[in-house]
Amino acid sequence: MSLAHTAAEYMLSDALLPDRRGSRLKGLRLELPLDQIVKFVAVGFPLLLMSLAFAQEFSSGSPISCFSPSNFSVRQAAYVDSSCWDSLVHHEQNEAGEYKIKSLWPHKALPYSLLALAVIMYLPVLLWQYAAVPALSSDLLFIISELDKSYNRSIRLVQHMLKIRQKSSDPHVFWDELEKARKERYFEFPLLERYLACKQRSHSLVATYLLRNSLLLLFTSATYLYLGHFHLDVFFQKQFSCSIKTELLHDETHVPDLITCRLTSLSVFQIVSLSSAAIYTLLVPLIIYNLTRLCRWDKRLLSIYEMLPAFDLLSRKMLGCPINDLNVILLFLRANISELISFSWLSVLCVLKDTTTQKHNIDTVVDFMTLLAGLEPSKPKHLTQGLCDEHI
């Protein structure tokens, strides 16, 4: 009997989780994996394109090439290129013989518009960092700590039950006390469950998360409008007619009215426009998927932690509308599953519970570890039968 008791003590001691009060869970993920992908692409891709545009401008020199008259010197030709790039206006003659002016400024503003796009796409990230991350980190630290502590309390409770059972001379007294404790719910620690239930009535985190993704959709729509209205208008403009007869050259007769110029950076402009539209189109389904995840509960995570005493949000049907802070916290608990040491242990116990032949006697981790330690999860039948015979 002592050998079996020692083996049970070793098994329960190994099941205890290590104390992590010193580490403070420094590796917490305060952004969901898909949110990180959206952030890196939405912010990093415009910066990458901006560096491409600047590299092309520095390597190729002037982004335009004007066909100056043959009697122009090299310095005059360089002046024509510089003047036409500064103005970047296309003079187009209509059927009535009048000149219509068309600005080509999106070519000149391309790198700066990409920088502005990256800054705008980073604003929702800043909103999340300053409005939600402080409260979320404290919630996750408390909940992860309490989940692991609740698991450890259950294991220590089974250890205590095992010691009491060994010291008890009358098994009837032990089982009567045990059934009374279960009836009076002495084994339950409802602090965590009540805290999570309160989070169902809170909506600050979910409102910030909805606002973050809504802003991303809004800024993505604004990007489409910008590309469609400004870039599409000059997308196929390979060359333009430039006028340099301004200021001192206005009355010069040897200077032609219009000089034809070619946009040497048109290919880069087209690549940037098409790739931006394609990338942000791919991001839209990811953003929408992030929003739809708030419309359903992660019941698998909850069902595993149902084995903890007083953690029956699922079985007592306490879950209502999923659009609240509790659902956001569950999403981040799933993302930080590596920090939940108790999760792996409870997952194994859930699998074993489903395969055991005494399913009706096992509800919590206390019941299952009691069975593994060599105790019956409920009063043995021979003791119950003996008690009935004494009454007869």
Side-chain angles (χ1 to χ4, degrees), residues 140-343:
L140 289 177
L141 284 172
F142 172 75
I143 292 171
I144 291 175
S145 176
E146 283 300 312
L147 286 174
D148 289 346
K149 286 179 181 177
S150 181
Y151 170 84
N152 273 352
R153 282 194 293 262
S154 301
I155 301 299
R156 291 194 179 99
L157 181 60
V158 178
Q159 288 178 324
H160 184 66
M161 291 168 55
L162 192 63
K163 291 178 182 178
I164 294 178
R165 177 67 184 88
Q166 188 185 28
K167 295 178 181 179
S168 177
S169 58
D170 187 359
H172 292 284
V173 175
F174 170 76
W175 287 110
D176 289 342
E177 290 293 328
L178 184 59
E179 290 182 357
K180 179 181 178 182
R182 284 176 173 163
K183 185 177 180 181
E184 299 295 333
R185 301 170 68 91
Y186 291 158
F187 296 165
E188 299 185 2
F189 310 96
L191 173 64
L192 179 60
E193 182 185 89
R194 292 178 180 177
Y195 182 77
L196 294 179
C198 290
K199 284 299 175 179
Q200 286 195 86
R201 298 188 292 272
S202 176
H203 299 87
S204 58
L205 287 177
V206 72
T208 307
Y209 191 76
L210 288 173
L211 181 59
R212 170 183 177 169
N213 287 276
S214 300
L215 286 177
L216 284 173
L217 289 176
L218 177 63
F219 294 154
T220 303
S221 302
T223 303
Y224 290 149
L225 291 176
Y226 174 78
L227 293 175
H229 187 266
F230 295 106
H231 281 219
L232 188 60
D233 190 37
V234 297
F235 190 79
F236 300 102
Q237 190 82 36
K238 294 182 179 180
Q239 59 185 25
F240 64 99
S241 299
C242 173
S243 175
I244 62 170
K245 297 189 67 173
T246 58
E247 299 179 358
L248 297 177
L249 300 178
H250 185 271
D251 298 326
E252 294 292 334
T253 57
H254 67 280
V255 177
D257 293 334
L258 296 176
I259 295 178
T260 302
C261 297
R262 183 171 58 90
L263 291 165
T264 58
S265 61
L266 179 64
S267 58
V268 175
F269 181 83
Q270 292 174 336
I271 291 173
V272 168
S273 302
L274 289 176
S275 57
S276 299
I279 289 298
Y280 284 106
T281 301
L282 293 176
L283 286 183
V284 170
L286 292 180
I287 300 173
I288 295 176
Y289 177 73
N290 283 339
L291 293 173
T292 57
R293 284 193 298 177
L294 296 176
C295 300
R296 62 182 184 276
W297 292 102
D298 187 359
K299 293 186 177 181
R300 183 176 177 273
L301 181 66
L302 290 174
S303 63
I304 289 177
Y305 277 96
E306 286 275 299
M307 290 197 70
L308 292 179
F311 196 90
D312 46 2
L313 292 171
L314 206 59
S315 59
R316 290 169 59 186
K317 298 181 180 179
M318 297 175 63
L319 300 178
C321 176
I323 304 178
N324 52 52
D325 286 356
L326 177 59
N327 198 10
V328 176
I329 291 174
L330 291 179
L331 290 176
F332 280 90
L333 284 177
R334 171 67 67 179
N336 290 278
I337 206 70
S338 60
E339 300 291 339
L340 278 167
I341 306 178
S342 58
F343 180 80

Side-chain angles (χ1 to χ4, degrees), residues 66-93:
C66 296
F67 301 99
S68 303
S70 58
N71 59 341
F72 273 33
S73 64
V74 176
R75 295 184 62 183
Q76 288 175 325
Y79 171 79
V80 170
D81 290 350
S82 176
S83 178
C84 289
W85 174 248
D86 289 339
S87 62
L88 209 59
V89 173
H90 174 50
H91 295 77
E92 185 178 5
Q93 191 174 17

